[in-house]
Amino acid sequence: MTEARGAPAAGSGPGAAVALLQAVSDPVRWSVLDVLAGGPACVCTIQEQVPVAANLLSYHLRALREAGLVTASRRGRWVDYRLADDAAERMRRALPGAVAGTDAAHLGAGRRLEVSVP
């Protein structure tokens, strides 16, 4: 039996945008999102690629679920995570200027954001 879980999409406005950006600003969460950008993964696979304590990984996965950026589905004793369908679009819209209709060129289209994880 499969059970999908995830937070409802967050509201709109500056407060929601700031909350979303705060959720992805943590290097561990960014690494989890990077892993899930490659496709759905179980916790054990994420743990292999994001080497943090299991309880800390659980905490960060919960924060990403609550932000509505990832969803979880249970397969027996396993839990699989995947990016929410609208995660990339919501992160893009959260950037300053995106809500006000600023064009992508002004936001640095074509540049890749890189984050280093200690």
XYZ file of all heavy atoms in Angstrom:
855
model
N 0.841 -1.166 0.000
C 0.000 0.000 0.000
C 0.887 1.230 0.000
O 1.883 1.308 0.689
C -0.900 -0.010 1.237
C -1.704 1.261 1.384
S -2.835 1.123 2.759
C -4.332 1.306 1.864
N 0.514 2.223 -0.789
C 1.278 3.456 -0.903
C 0.482 4.590 -0.317
O -0.702 4.740 -0.593
C 1.584 3.751 -2.384
O 2.304 2.655 -2.919
C 2.393 5.014 -2.524
N 1.151 5.397 0.478
C 0.500 6.545 1.089
C 1.339 7.766 0.777
O 2.517 7.837 1.091
C 0.436 6.347 2.612
C -0.057 7.537 3.371
C 0.146 7.328 4.869
O -0.010 6.197 5.345
O 0.459 8.313 5.546
N 0.757 8.754 0.083
C 1.489 9.972 -0.257
C 1.234 11.024 0.807
O 0.116 11.191 1.269
C 1.060 10.482 -1.625
N 2.315 11.675 1.223
C 2.180 12.738 2.200
C 2.973 13.933 1.724
O 4.018 13.814 1.141
C 2.734 12.314 3.564
C 1.991 11.176 4.182
C 2.646 10.778 5.459
N 4.010 10.338 5.160
C 4.917 10.072 6.064
N 4.661 10.205 7.316
N 6.120 9.666 5.738
N 2.489 15.094 2.050
C 3.191 16.328 1.731
C 2.381 17.479 2.252
O 1.190 17.348 2.518
N 3.014 18.599 2.416
C 2.311 19.773 2.904
C 1.573 20.427 1.754
O 1.979 20.341 0.603
C 3.305 20.754 3.511
N 0.465 21.087 2.040
C -0.189 21.832 0.989
C 0.723 22.956 0.537
O 1.585 23.413 1.283
C -1.453 22.372 1.667
C -1.186 22.300 3.126
C -0.187 21.210 3.326
N 0.538 23.387 -0.684
C 1.355 24.477 -1.204
C 1.204 25.699 -0.323
O 0.112 26.041 0.113
C 0.933 24.789 -2.642
N 2.312 26.335 -0.039
C 2.299 27.510 0.822
C 1.580 28.656 0.130
O 1.444 28.683 -1.079
C 3.732 27.910 1.157
N 1.129 29.615 0.916
C 0.422 30.768 0.388
C 1.324 31.639 -0.454
O 2.472 31.331 -0.713
N 0.771 32.751 -0.886
C 1.551 33.658 -1.701
C 1.877 34.896 -0.890
O 1.388 35.090 0.209
C 0.766 34.019 -2.964
O -0.447 34.641 -2.598
N 2.703 35.729 -1.447
C 3.078 36.956 -0.779
C 4.493 36.895 -0.258
O 5.140 35.851 -0.267
N 4.978 38.042 0.207
C 6.372 38.115 0.648
C 6.696 37.182 1.815
O 7.768 36.594 1.859
C 6.556 39.573 1.063
C 5.377 40.307 0.563
C 4.309 39.319 0.270
N 5.783 37.027 2.769
C 6.040 36.149 3.909
C 6.228 34.709 3.486
O 7.123 34.013 3.977
N 5.399 34.249 2.560
C 5.508 32.877 2.072
C 6.795 32.692 1.276
O 7.451 31.654 1.372
C 4.300 32.526 1.213
N 7.176 33.709 0.499
C 8.403 33.630 -0.291
C 9.614 33.545 0.625
O 10.521 32.733 0.406
C 8.516 34.835 -1.226
N 9.635 34.366 1.671
C 10.756 34.350 2.615
C 10.825 32.993 3.315
O 11.902 32.414 3.464
C 10.640 35.508 3.636
C 11.629 35.331 4.775
C 10.848 36.837 2.935
N 9.683 32.453 3.734
C 9.663 31.154 4.403
C 10.198 30.058 3.480
O 10.957 29.182 3.915
C 8.245 30.824 4.868
N 9.833 30.113 2.215
C 10.304 29.112 1.258
C 11.810 29.231 1.060
O 12.539 28.233 1.078
C 9.578 29.263 -0.076
C 9.921 28.223 -1.132
C 9.334 26.875 -0.740
C 9.399 28.655 -2.474
N 12.297 30.452 0.899
C 13.732 30.641 0.711
C 14.515 30.258 1.963
O 15.627 29.734 1.861
C 14.026 32.087 0.304
C 13.519 32.457 -1.097
C 13.690 33.947 -1.355
C 14.191 31.637 -2.175
N 13.945 30.484 3.138
C 14.598 30.042 4.368
C 14.688 28.522 4.413
O 15.690 27.961 4.871
C 13.847 30.552 5.594
C 14.060 32.028 5.849
C 13.211 32.547 6.995
O 12.142 32.010 7.286
N 13.681 33.601 7.632
N 13.654 27.853 3.920
C 13.651 26.385 3.928
C 14.761 25.820 3.052
O 15.368 24.802 3.396
C 12.293 25.855 3.471
N 15.067 26.472 1.930
C 16.092 25.940 1.030
C 17.473 26.520 1.304
O 18.451 26.094 0.694
C 15.726 26.162 -0.462
C 14.422 25.476 -0.796
C 15.697 27.619 -0.822
N 17.567 27.460 2.229
C 18.858 28.117 2.476
C 19.834 27.256 3.270
O 21.024 27.526 3.270
C 18.643 29.450 3.194
O 18.161 29.237 4.509
N 19.355 26.234 3.926
C 20.246 25.366 4.694
C 21.016 24.448 3.741
O 20.420 23.827 2.856
C 19.408 24.524 5.671
C 20.286 23.670 6.542
O 20.730 22.596 6.077
O 20.541 24.085 7.684
N 22.334 24.341 3.894
C 23.133 23.500 2.987
C 22.710 22.033 2.958
O 22.765 21.400 1.902
C 24.562 23.640 3.521
C 24.572 24.922 4.277
C 23.178 25.074 4.835
N 22.276 21.482 4.080
C 21.833 20.086 4.087
C 20.561 19.949 3.264
O 20.431 19.030 2.445
C 21.623 19.574 5.535
C 20.978 18.187 5.533
C 22.937 19.547 6.282
N 19.629 20.860 3.449
C 18.367 20.803 2.678
C 18.642 20.994 1.200
O 18.022 20.336 0.353
C 17.388 21.850 3.197
C 16.905 21.522 4.575
C 15.862 22.512 5.048
N 15.828 22.464 6.501
C 15.657 23.490 7.288
N 15.457 24.693 6.774
N 15.659 23.351 8.581
N 19.568 21.895 0.875
C 19.910 22.110 -0.533
C 20.480 20.818 -1.122
O 20.149 20.454 -2.249
C 20.907 23.262 -0.668
C 21.131 23.660 -2.085
C 22.158 23.267 -2.883
C 20.295 24.495 -2.886
N 22.019 23.822 -4.131
C 20.891 24.575 -4.158
C 19.104 25.186 -2.634
C 20.336 25.327 -5.190
C 18.562 25.932 -3.668
C 19.162 25.993 -4.927
N 21.308 20.123 -0.360
C 21.877 18.851 -0.823
C 20.788 17.800 -1.031
O 20.829 17.041 -2.000
C 22.911 18.332 0.177
O 23.999 19.207 0.253
N 19.813 17.761 -0.137
C 18.688 16.823 -0.288
C 17.918 17.151 -1.563
O 17.585 16.251 -2.344
C 17.758 16.859 0.944
C 16.473 16.088 0.674
C 18.470 16.311 2.167
N 17.651 18.428 -1.799
C 16.948 18.825 -3.020
C 17.750 18.437 -4.256
O 17.185 17.985 -5.261
C 16.667 20.330 -3.020
C 15.649 20.809 -1.991
C 15.607 22.331 -1.957
C 14.268 20.235 -2.264
N 19.065 18.570 -4.188
C 19.928 18.194 -5.298
C 19.830 16.700 -5.577
O 19.742 16.281 -6.736
C 21.369 18.598 -4.991
C 22.281 18.434 -6.183
O 21.882 18.788 -7.311
O 23.412 17.945 -5.986
N 19.809 15.886 -4.543
C 19.661 14.433 -4.706
C 18.307 14.133 -5.354
O 18.216 13.364 -6.312
C 19.790 13.695 -3.359
C 19.379 12.234 -3.482
C 21.208 13.808 -2.819
N 17.254 14.759 -4.845
C 15.903 14.479 -5.342
C 15.663 15.055 -6.739
O 14.745 14.614 -7.428
C 14.862 14.999 -4.355
C 14.878 14.301 -2.995
C 13.851 14.933 -2.070
C 14.650 12.808 -3.141
N 16.488 16.003 -7.162
C 16.364 16.521 -8.528
C 16.670 15.426 -9.544
O 16.201 15.481 -10.682
C 17.296 17.714 -8.730
N 17.421 14.416 -9.113
C 17.723 13.281 -9.985
C 16.620 12.242 -10.039
O 16.690 11.292 -10.801
N 15.584 12.411 -9.224
C 14.457 11.481 -9.211
C 14.148 11.048 -7.791
O 14.892 11.353 -6.853
N 13.043 10.335 -7.619
C 12.643 9.886 -6.279
C 13.733 9.018 -5.646
O 14.477 8.326 -6.340
C 11.382 9.058 -6.537
C 10.889 9.501 -7.873
C 12.096 9.914 -8.646
N 13.811 9.087 -4.317
C 14.816 8.294 -3.604
C 14.291 7.924 -2.228
O 13.552 8.688 -1.610
C 16.114 9.092 -3.474
N 14.700 6.758 -1.759
C 14.346 6.355 -0.403
C 15.318 7.022 0.571
O 16.375 7.513 0.176
C 14.361 4.837 -0.245
S 15.988 4.108 -0.352
N 14.948 7.033 1.824
C 15.770 7.687 2.839
C 17.180 7.105 2.854
O 18.161 7.837 2.989
C 15.110 7.576 4.231
C 16.016 8.138 5.309
C 13.788 8.301 4.245
N 17.305 5.797 2.697
C 18.630 5.181 2.747
C 19.525 5.688 1.616
O 20.721 5.913 1.817
C 18.528 3.660 2.732
S 17.625 2.990 1.337
N 18.958 5.915 0.454
C 19.724 6.454 -0.669
C 20.118 7.904 -0.412
O 21.251 8.309 -0.687
C 18.916 6.355 -1.977
O 18.613 4.980 -2.219
C 19.680 6.921 -3.151
N 19.195 8.681 0.126
C 19.503 10.075 0.453
C 20.613 10.118 1.490
O 21.548 10.910 1.381
C 18.242 10.817 0.949
C 17.173 10.860 -0.150
C 18.587 12.227 1.406
C 15.815 11.335 0.325
N 20.531 9.244 2.484
C 21.529 9.197 3.562
C 22.928 8.904 3.010
O 23.912 9.456 3.487
C 21.150 8.133 4.586
C 22.124 8.030 5.732
C 21.664 8.772 6.949
O 20.524 8.626 7.325
N 22.533 9.547 7.563
N 23.014 8.065 1.987
C 24.308 7.751 1.382
C 24.931 8.979 0.727
O 26.142 9.139 0.705
C 24.160 6.645 0.333
C 23.842 5.291 0.904
C 23.508 4.280 -0.168
O 23.496 4.633 -1.372
O 23.240 3.117 0.194
N 24.089 9.843 0.181
C 24.588 10.993 -0.568
C 24.650 12.272 0.259
O 25.304 13.234 -0.149
C 23.729 11.204 -1.811
C 23.812 10.012 -2.746
C 22.986 10.201 -3.985
O 22.970 11.274 -4.569
N 22.266 9.165 -4.392
N 23.938 12.296 1.375
C 23.953 13.438 2.291
C 24.338 12.882 3.657
O 23.481 12.526 4.451
C 22.570 14.139 2.339
C 22.623 15.358 3.237
C 22.090 14.512 0.938
N 25.624 12.775 3.921
C 26.089 12.095 5.133
C 25.899 12.916 6.411
O 26.810 13.599 6.870
C 27.565 11.833 4.834
C 27.952 12.922 3.886
C 26.725 13.225 3.088
N 24.697 12.845 6.951
C 24.396 13.449 8.252
C 23.709 12.381 9.094
O 23.257 11.367 8.576
C 23.489 14.706 8.124
C 24.203 15.820 7.366
C 22.163 14.376 7.479
N 23.628 12.626 10.386
C 22.962 11.675 11.280
C 21.521 11.461 10.839
O 20.873 12.376 10.314
C 23.009 12.193 12.714
N 21.011 10.263 11.054
C 19.655 9.912 10.615
C 18.601 10.843 11.199
O 17.676 11.262 10.495
C 19.342 8.465 10.985
N 18.740 11.196 12.477
C 17.737 12.080 13.078
C 17.798 13.482 12.471
O 16.777 14.142 12.305
C 17.880 12.130 14.600
C 19.211 12.680 15.051
O 20.213 12.567 14.356
N 19.224 13.265 16.230
N 18.996 13.943 12.091
C 19.137 15.251 11.462
C 18.563 15.236 10.048
O 17.883 16.181 9.627
C 20.609 15.666 11.444
C 20.915 17.070 10.966
C 20.179 18.110 11.808
C 22.414 17.324 11.015
N 18.793 14.151 9.322
C 18.216 14.030 7.978
C 16.700 14.027 8.061
O 16.025 14.696 7.276
C 18.717 12.764 7.286
C 18.185 12.539 5.873
C 18.559 13.687 4.945
C 18.700 11.206 5.330
N 16.154 13.320 9.030
C 14.708 13.280 9.231
C 14.158 14.682 9.500
O 13.119 15.078 8.951
C 14.380 12.345 10.391
O 13.005 12.335 10.636
N 14.861 15.433 10.325
C 14.455 16.812 10.640
C 14.409 17.667 9.370
O 13.445 18.400 9.126
C 15.430 17.412 11.658
C 15.296 18.898 11.817
C 14.288 19.439 12.606
C 16.168 19.765 11.170
C 14.156 20.815 12.748
C 16.048 21.134 11.306
C 15.039 21.655 12.094
O 14.911 23.012 12.216
N 15.442 17.570 8.541
C 15.499 18.377 7.323
C 14.455 17.926 6.290
O 13.868 18.770 5.603
C 16.903 18.340 6.729
C 17.888 19.138 7.526
N 17.825 20.501 7.657
C 18.963 18.751 8.248
C 18.815 20.936 8.422
N 19.521 19.875 8.797
N 14.217 16.631 6.192
C 13.177 16.148 5.286
C 11.808 16.652 5.735
O 10.977 17.034 4.904
C 13.198 14.617 5.210
C 14.349 14.030 4.396
C 14.489 12.539 4.660
C 14.154 14.313 2.908
N 11.569 16.666 7.036
C 10.306 17.194 7.549
C 10.160 18.676 7.203
O 9.091 19.118 6.771
C 10.190 16.988 9.054
C 8.815 17.429 9.583
C 8.692 17.312 11.089
N 9.376 18.470 11.656
C 10.154 18.451 12.717
N 10.352 17.328 13.375
N 10.743 19.533 13.152
N 11.225 19.438 7.353
C 11.171 20.869 7.025
C 10.853 21.077 5.544
O 10.054 21.955 5.192
C 12.489 21.545 7.390
N 11.436 20.253 4.685
C 11.155 20.367 3.254
C 9.731 19.924 2.927
O 9.086 20.505 2.039
C 12.171 19.544 2.450
C 13.601 20.098 2.458
C 14.574 19.085 1.863
C 13.660 21.427 1.717
N 9.217 18.911 3.637
C 7.812 18.504 3.447
C 6.882 19.624 3.879
O 5.912 19.943 3.192
C 7.493 17.240 4.252
C 7.846 15.955 3.570
C 7.203 14.725 4.226
N 7.033 14.804 5.654
C 7.907 14.355 6.562
N 9.024 13.804 6.173
N 7.644 14.449 7.851
N 7.152 20.210 5.051
C 6.306 21.277 5.565
C 6.316 22.503 4.654
O 5.327 23.227 4.572
C 6.718 21.661 6.983
C 6.376 20.587 7.995
C 6.919 20.857 9.391
O 7.681 21.835 9.578
O 6.577 20.077 10.294
N 7.429 22.721 3.959
C 7.517 23.822 3.005
C 6.820 23.481 1.694
O 6.664 24.338 0.827
C 8.983 24.173 2.740
N 6.403 22.217 1.550
C 5.720 21.790 0.335
C 6.650 21.538 -0.837
O 6.210 21.464 -1.976
N 7.947 21.385 -0.562
C 8.916 21.184 -1.635
C 9.155 19.717 -1.965
O 9.601 19.403 -3.068
C 10.246 21.853 -1.271
C 10.176 23.376 -1.185
C 11.466 23.932 -0.618
C 9.871 23.968 -2.545
N 8.909 18.840 -1.019
C 9.045 17.405 -1.267
C 7.791 16.686 -0.778
O 7.068 17.193 0.081
C 10.299 16.788 -0.597
C 11.569 17.454 -1.075
C 10.208 16.827 0.895
N 7.556 15.547 -1.354
C 6.459 14.688 -0.915
C 7.050 13.345 -0.511
O 8.148 12.980 -0.948
C 5.405 14.483 -2.023
O 6.026 13.873 -3.153
C 4.765 15.802 -2.430
N 6.331 12.634 0.327
C 6.781 11.335 0.802
C 5.698 10.305 0.537
O 4.511 10.601 0.636
C 7.079 11.402 2.299
N 6.121 9.116 0.186
C 5.172 8.009 0.034
C 5.766 6.788 0.719
O 6.964 6.540 0.640
C 4.873 7.737 -1.443
O 6.048 7.425 -2.139
N 4.908 6.075 1.401
C 5.339 4.912 2.180
C 5.132 3.645 1.362
O 4.097 3.441 0.751
C 4.548 4.853 3.479
C 4.992 3.744 4.407
C 4.349 3.859 5.767
N 4.837 4.986 6.542
C 6.007 5.014 7.192
N 6.810 3.985 7.125
N 6.362 6.067 7.889
N 6.179 2.798 1.370
C 6.124 1.460 0.767
C 6.467 0.475 1.863
O 7.631 0.159 2.082
C 7.167 1.305 -0.334
C 6.858 1.901 -1.642
C 7.957 1.593 -2.678
N 9.280 2.058 -2.233
C 10.353 1.289 -2.166
N 10.319 0.019 -2.474
N 11.522 1.790 -1.764
N 5.473 0.017 2.579
C 5.752 -0.867 3.709
C 6.556 -0.125 4.758
O 6.120 0.874 5.288
N 7.792 -0.601 5.019
C 8.657 0.065 6.002
C 9.517 1.157 5.378
O 10.235 1.857 6.073
C 9.558 -0.956 6.684
C 8.752 -1.960 7.480
C 9.580 -2.901 8.287
N 10.889 -3.253 7.715
C 11.627 -4.245 8.135
N 11.206 -5.004 9.106
N 12.789 -4.507 7.592
N 9.491 1.282 4.065
C 10.318 2.259 3.361
C 9.536 3.542 3.113
O 8.338 3.521 2.889
C 10.786 1.696 2.018
C 11.532 0.413 2.152
C 11.058 -0.838 1.900
C 12.869 0.251 2.607
N 12.023 -1.771 2.163
C 13.149 -1.124 2.602
C 13.861 1.135 3.013
C 14.369 -1.633 2.970
C 15.092 0.627 3.392
C 15.324 -0.744 3.368
N 10.255 4.652 3.103
C 9.654 5.934 2.747
C 10.448 6.500 1.578
O 11.670 6.643 1.656
C 9.668 6.929 3.929
C 9.072 8.264 3.508
C 8.901 6.362 5.108
N 9.740 6.774 0.489
C 10.358 7.368 -0.695
C 10.014 8.846 -0.740
O 8.871 9.237 -0.463
C 9.842 6.698 -1.968
C 10.274 5.243 -2.076
O 11.425 4.942 -1.726
O 9.449 4.427 -2.509
N 10.993 9.660 -1.108
C 10.800 11.103 -1.230
C 10.998 11.513 -2.674
O 11.761 10.887 -3.407
C 11.798 11.861 -0.341
C 11.460 11.750 1.119
C 11.955 10.710 1.891
C 10.639 12.684 1.719
C 11.634 10.600 3.234
C 10.312 12.584 3.068
C 10.812 11.551 3.803
O 10.488 11.446 5.124
N 10.300 12.561 -3.066
C 10.481 13.131 -4.397
C 10.187 14.612 -4.319
O 9.511 15.077 -3.397
C 9.594 12.443 -5.420
C 8.112 12.669 -5.221
C 7.249 11.911 -6.229
N 7.532 12.281 -7.580
C 6.797 13.135 -8.278
N 5.723 13.676 -7.753
N 7.122 13.450 -9.503
N 10.715 15.353 -5.285
C 10.403 16.773 -5.356
C 8.926 16.939 -5.663
O 8.366 16.186 -6.471
C 11.211 17.448 -6.468
C 12.692 17.686 -6.224
C 13.321 18.328 -7.454
C 12.918 18.547 -5.006
N 8.304 17.911 -5.048
C 6.919 18.223 -5.378
C 6.880 18.705 -6.827
O 7.848 19.291 -7.327
C 6.381 19.305 -4.440
N 5.781 18.444 -7.499
C 5.675 18.803 -8.910
C 5.931 20.284 -9.166
O 6.490 20.648 -10.188
C 4.291 18.422 -9.451
C 4.092 16.917 -9.507
O 5.098 16.174 -9.560
O 2.933 16.477 -9.489
N 5.537 21.133 -8.234
C 5.683 22.575 -8.434
C 6.860 23.180 -7.674
O 6.975 24.402 -7.570
C 4.391 23.291 -8.037
C 4.071 23.154 -6.547
O 4.674 22.289 -5.877
O 3.210 23.904 -6.064
N 7.771 22.357 -7.167
C 8.870 22.857 -6.327
C 9.742 23.870 -7.065
O 10.021 24.953 -6.540
C 9.718 21.698 -5.811
N 10.183 23.547 -8.258
C 11.073 24.453 -8.995
C 10.366 25.773 -9.317
O 10.950 26.848 -9.165
C 11.566 23.782 -10.274
N 9.125 25.691 -9.734
C 8.372 26.905 -10.059
C 8.160 27.762 -8.811
O 8.280 28.989 -8.862
C 7.033 26.534 -10.692
C 6.133 27.720 -10.977
C 6.721 28.728 -11.956
O 7.635 28.382 -12.724
O 6.263 29.893 -11.941
N 7.847 27.150 -7.687
C 7.638 27.908 -6.448
C 8.932 28.574 -5.994
O 8.914 29.707 -5.522
C 7.087 27.004 -5.349
C 5.627 26.622 -5.634
C 5.002 25.787 -4.545
N 5.150 26.421 -3.261
C 5.588 25.782 -2.169
N 5.891 24.516 -2.213
N 5.698 26.420 -1.031
N 10.065 27.887 -6.147
C 11.334 28.504 -5.765
C 11.648 29.679 -6.693
O 12.107 30.722 -6.244
C 12.466 27.477 -5.779
C 12.408 26.541 -4.586
S 13.876 25.520 -4.395
C 13.621 24.320 -5.684
N 11.378 29.520 -7.972
C 11.611 30.609 -8.921
C 10.746 31.813 -8.581
O 11.222 32.939 -8.543
C 11.334 30.153 -10.356
C 11.760 31.208 -11.401
C 11.137 30.976 -12.753
N 9.699 31.070 -12.761
C 9.010 32.211 -12.703
N 9.610 33.350 -12.585
N 7.692 32.206 -12.731
N 9.469 31.571 -8.285
C 8.556 32.670 -7.956
C 8.907 33.349 -6.642
O 8.538 34.491 -6.422
C 7.113 32.168 -7.899
C 6.494 31.935 -9.263
C 4.983 31.736 -9.189
N 4.500 31.132 -7.968
C 4.077 29.883 -7.839
N 4.070 29.085 -8.862
N 3.652 29.427 -6.686
N 9.612 32.650 -5.761
C 9.969 33.225 -4.465
C 11.107 34.234 -4.572
O 11.316 35.025 -3.653
C 10.357 32.115 -3.481
N 11.823 34.221 -5.690
C 12.933 35.154 -5.846
C 12.421 36.587 -5.937
O 11.378 36.845 -6.537
C 13.735 34.816 -7.102
C 14.475 33.487 -7.065
C 15.075 33.186 -8.434
C 15.550 33.515 -6.003
N 13.151 37.534 -5.354
C 12.730 38.937 -5.426
C 12.567 39.381 -6.873
O 13.391 39.085 -7.724
C 13.891 39.689 -4.759
C 14.529 38.688 -3.871
C 14.375 37.363 -4.588
N 11.489 40.052 -7.141
C 11.216 40.543 -8.488
C 10.365 39.606 -9.321
O 9.703 40.034 -10.244
N 10.369 38.322 -9.018
C 9.606 37.371 -9.826
C 8.113 37.602 -9.670
O 7.368 37.532 -10.640
C 9.953 35.939 -9.442
N 7.667 37.926 -8.473
C 6.244 38.156 -8.230
C 5.797 39.437 -8.889
O 4.703 39.540 -9.414
C 5.953 38.191 -6.709
C 4.509 38.534 -6.441
C 6.306 36.870 -6.085
N 6.684 40.421 -8.915
C 6.333 41.718 -9.484
C 6.379 41.696 -11.002
O 6.110 42.708 -11.634
C 7.279 42.783 -8.945
N 6.745 40.579 -11.591
C 6.735 40.465 -13.047
C 8.056 40.815 -13.695
O 8.123 41.037 -14.885
N 9.135 40.884 -12.930
C 10.438 41.162 -13.501
C 10.808 40.033 -14.440
O 10.602 38.873 -14.137
C 11.495 41.273 -12.380
O 11.055 42.269 -11.464
C 12.842 41.629 -12.931
N 11.362 40.390 -15.605
C 11.677 39.338 -16.574
C 12.868 38.511 -16.124
O 13.657 38.910 -15.283
C 11.899 39.911 -17.970
C 13.143 40.786 -18.087
O 13.835 40.972 -17.065
O 13.405 41.264 -19.185
N 12.992 37.335 -16.707
C 14.023 36.385 -16.303
C 15.426 36.921 -16.540
O 16.349 36.598 -15.809
C 13.836 35.061 -17.042
N 15.615 37.769 -17.559
C 16.943 38.315 -17.836
C 17.431 39.146 -16.656
O 18.599 39.113 -16.292
C 16.910 39.152 -19.107
N 16.518 39.863 -16.038
C 16.889 40.689 -14.884
C 17.277 39.814 -13.693
O 18.095 40.210 -12.881
C 15.720 41.605 -14.501
C 15.995 42.432 -13.288
N 16.846 43.508 -13.310
C 15.556 42.322 -12.010
C 16.912 44.038 -12.101
N 16.151 43.337 -11.294
N 16.704 38.636 -13.596
C 16.985 37.738 -12.476
C 18.230 36.895 -12.704
O 18.553 36.038 -11.898
C 15.787 36.818 -12.217
C 14.529 37.519 -11.736
C 13.376 36.536 -11.655
C 14.756 38.176 -10.390
N 18.912 37.107 -13.822
C 20.154 36.363 -14.059
C 19.916 35.054 -14.776
O 20.573 34.062 -14.494
N 18.979 35.036 -15.718
C 18.696 33.810 -16.462
C 19.981 33.322 -17.130
O 20.780 34.105 -17.616
C 17.621 34.062 -17.511
N 20.159 32.037 -17.130
C 21.328 31.444 -17.746
C 22.472 31.246 -16.777
O 23.417 30.548 -17.077
N 22.398 31.869 -15.613
C 23.426 31.670 -14.601
C 22.997 30.529 -13.709
O 21.837 30.386 -13.385
C 23.606 32.920 -13.750
C 24.278 34.015 -14.486
C 24.658 35.179 -13.615
N 24.173 35.105 -12.271
C 23.870 36.155 -11.537
N 23.980 37.351 -12.016
N 23.460 36.017 -10.288
N 23.946 29.740 -13.297
C 23.640 28.615 -12.417
C 24.022 28.971 -10.988
O 25.111 29.479 -10.759
C 24.423 27.386 -12.864
C 24.100 26.188 -12.039
C 24.745 24.979 -12.577
N 24.418 23.886 -11.665
C 24.905 22.713 -11.759
N 25.737 22.410 -12.721
N 24.564 21.784 -10.905
N 23.111 28.733 -10.085
C 23.403 28.969 -8.673
C 24.192 27.779 -8.157
O 23.821 26.634 -8.376
C 22.113 29.117 -7.875
C 21.246 30.298 -8.228
C 19.966 30.250 -7.409
C 21.966 31.605 -7.980
N 25.283 28.053 -7.486
C 26.075 26.977 -6.913
C 26.225 27.205 -5.421
O 26.458 28.321 -4.982
C 27.452 26.921 -7.565
C 27.360 26.518 -9.020
C 28.719 26.293 -9.646
O 29.693 26.088 -8.900
O 28.801 26.327 -10.873
N 26.050 26.149 -4.666
C 26.180 26.211 -3.223
C 27.171 25.144 -2.809
O 27.067 23.993 -3.229
C 24.818 25.964 -2.532
C 24.979 25.933 -1.038
C 23.810 27.014 -2.959
N 28.131 25.522 -1.994
C 29.079 24.525 -1.508
C 28.658 24.079 -0.119
O 28.218 24.874 0.681
C 30.500 25.096 -1.484
O 30.550 26.183 -0.606
N 28.757 22.798 0.111
C 28.384 22.222 1.399
C 29.662 21.808 2.116
O 30.473 21.069 1.539
C 27.456 21.005 1.211
C 27.121 20.389 2.542
C 26.215 21.407 0.459
N 29.832 22.301 3.341
C 31.062 21.939 4.074
C 31.147 20.465 4.371
O 30.252 19.740 4.433
C 30.969 22.738 5.362
C 29.600 23.304 5.434
C 28.962 23.128 4.113
